Amino acid sequence: MSHEDIDRILEGEDEILPSSGFAASVMEAVRREAATPPPIPFPWKRAWPVAAAAVIALVGAPAVLFEVAGGAPGSTRPSPIPASSIEALLRTGTSVGAHWLIFAVVLTLVAMMASRRLAGGRA
């Protein structure tokens, strides 16, 4: 390509015209895009309290269990809940089938996560 060709192109002597129907197809796409409604926003105002409660529960549960168990090993401080009460609670949970309930909840959660993964992560 010579300097004259470049100068001619830059000066705009040759007018570049779009192909037939190009402008109409672009305008149709613009109209179609303008007609689509905006996406529904995520309800963050409702989700933040739930997330905060989950964080508090995840952080607070080990602390409560630590306190119930009587603190650090070798501690002379008495436990707020006697060990016999904890044993009675565990026996009661076993007698009513709490382990099966926990198993059912865990199995349900695993099935839900697997189905979401197979569906491509769509909600």
Side-chain angles (χ1 to χ4, degrees):
M1 187 175 267
S2 68
H3 289 291
E4 292 83 24
D5 292 338
I6 294 174
D7 287 339
R8 184 177 48 83
I9 291 171
L10 291 176
E11 289 174 5
E13 292 176 8
D14 292 338
E15 189 176 335
I16 300 174
L17 299 174
S19 61
S20 63
F22 175 75
S25 66
V26 168
M27 287 308 296
E28 179 61 31
V30 168
R31 286 187 194 102
R32 186 173 50 243
E33 187 68 28
T36 58
I40 299 172
F42 187 80
W44 287 109
K45 289 180 182 177
R46 293 183 182 177
W48 284 119
V50 173
V55 167
I56 290 170
L58 289 175
V59 170
V64 169
L65 289 175
F66 187 72
E67 284 293 320
V68 167
S75 173
T76 59
R77 189 179 66 154
S79 174
I81 299 175
S84 61
S85 297
I86 295 173
E87 290 172 10
L89 182 66
L90 290 175
R91 274 195 306 266
T92 304
T94 304
S95 67
V96 297
H99 56 286
W100 289 111
L101 294 173
I102 293 170
F103 176 72
V105 168
V106 169
L107 187 63
T108 301
L109 291 174
V110 168
M112 286 174 49
M113 288 188 290
S115 65
R116 284 189 63 144
R117 179 170 288 229
L118 289 174
R122 288 175 269 160

